[in-house]
Amino acid sequence: MADMNWDPSFARRTTFFQRNPIRELLRLSVRSDMISFAGGLPAPELFPLAAVRVAAAAVLADHGTAALQYGETGGVGELRDWVAARFSRPHLPLGRRHVLIVSGAQQGLDLLGRVLLDEGDEVVVESPTYLALLSAWRPWGVRYLPVRSDGEGLCLDALEPLLARRPKLVYTVPNFQNPTGTTFAAGRRTGLAMALDRHRVGLIEDDPYGELRFDGVALPSVFELAAKTGTGGRLE
């Protein structure tokens, strides 16, 4: 069947596929004759190889069989307990059932798209936004609604008319946003939580860089603020 024309067999969603820019950036990054500033790759000389080697040896020595065996699809239970305890607050108690371990942000975004988005749904995104998010959800046939942002984050006055359309979700990177590097001001976070509650619109708060701060005080997440003010619903 090597000469078969497979085009008619492809799912309709493949019409939304585009060349993935992240894949192209990584392909160029491995070239020995190039120093690429396009992708956010960590400095390899800073990898803690010795510490990882010790940790891996300890895991195999103490939990070898369990470490190499199939486990819960949600992730190792003890790790989920640790993550839940790490992010719990007095007003926001988290448990193992609230945590899902994924292989990276892209898998998490893909899973969210599969669960929450239908073809034709509208999603509000910052302009500009994380480009790999656009690639992750585009195959589901969603329509992106860009909203203006400035040095203090997403502009709430520009967001209000879009929320009035009752989009399915708002997606944002509140800390050191990719690609602009901006961080939401405290007032913007509170205002966003209140606006989302008022319009009953869900938020995907992507925070890969929140703990990489070099100075200043870490700000509470929009999720934390919503839980504290009672605007974020109830965890089950």
Side-chain angles (χ1 to χ4, degrees), residues 74-231:
V76 175
E78 293 82 357
L79 175 59
R80 292 160 65 194
D81 290 339
W82 184 91
V83 172
R86 173 67 177 77
F87 291 97
S88 286
R89 301 292 185 270
H91 60 281
L92 184 62
L94 301 175
R96 179 183 296 191
R97 67 188 184 280
H98 300 124
V99 177
L100 174 67
I101 304 299
V102 295
S103 62
Q106 285 306 109
Q107 186 192 15
L109 292 173
D110 177 73
L111 291 174
L112 287 168
R114 292 172 185 269
V115 171
L116 297 175
L117 297 174
D118 291 312
E119 185 172 350
D121 282 344
E122 295 184 329
V123 177
V124 175
V125 296
E126 297 158 291
S127 180
T129 191
Y130 176 45
L131 58 87
L133 175 278
L134 303 178
S135 300
W137 288 353
R138 186 178 288 114
W140 304 115
V142 303
R143 181 183 179 191
Y144 293 113
L145 304 178
V147 62
R148 186 178 75 254
S149 58
D150 59 21
E152 293 191 341
L154 188 149
C155 297
L156 298 179
D157 60 337
L159 177 65
E160 279 290 340
L162 298 180
L163 292 181
R165 298 172 56 153
R166 295 297 302 276
K168 177 65 73 70
L169 295 171
V170 172
Y171 170 84
T172 183
V173 182
N175 294 308
F176 317 116
Q177 198 250 19
N178 183 349
T180 65
T182 58
T183 293
F184 272 32
R188 296 277 179 97
R189 295 170 188 247
T190 302
L192 177 58
M194 296 176 64
L196 293 171
D197 181 66
R198 186 164 58 252
H199 291 277
R200 312 307 296 168
V201 175
L203 174 70
I204 302 300
E205 187 175 13
D206 194 356
D207 186 24
Y209 314 117
E211 297 191 3
L212 298 180
R213 177 182 296 275
F214 294 114
D215 55 32
V217 179
L219 298 172
S221 66
V222 179
F223 179 55
E224 289 181 59
L225 291 171
K228 181 177 291 187
T229 60
T231 61

Side-chain angles (χ1 to χ4, degrees), residues 5 17-18 20 37 41 46 50 107 118 123 149 161 182:
N5 178 15
F17 288 178
Q18 297 182 9
N20 191 313
F37 293 95
L41 302 178
L46 297 180
Q107 186 192 15
D118 291 312
V123 177
S149 58
T182 58

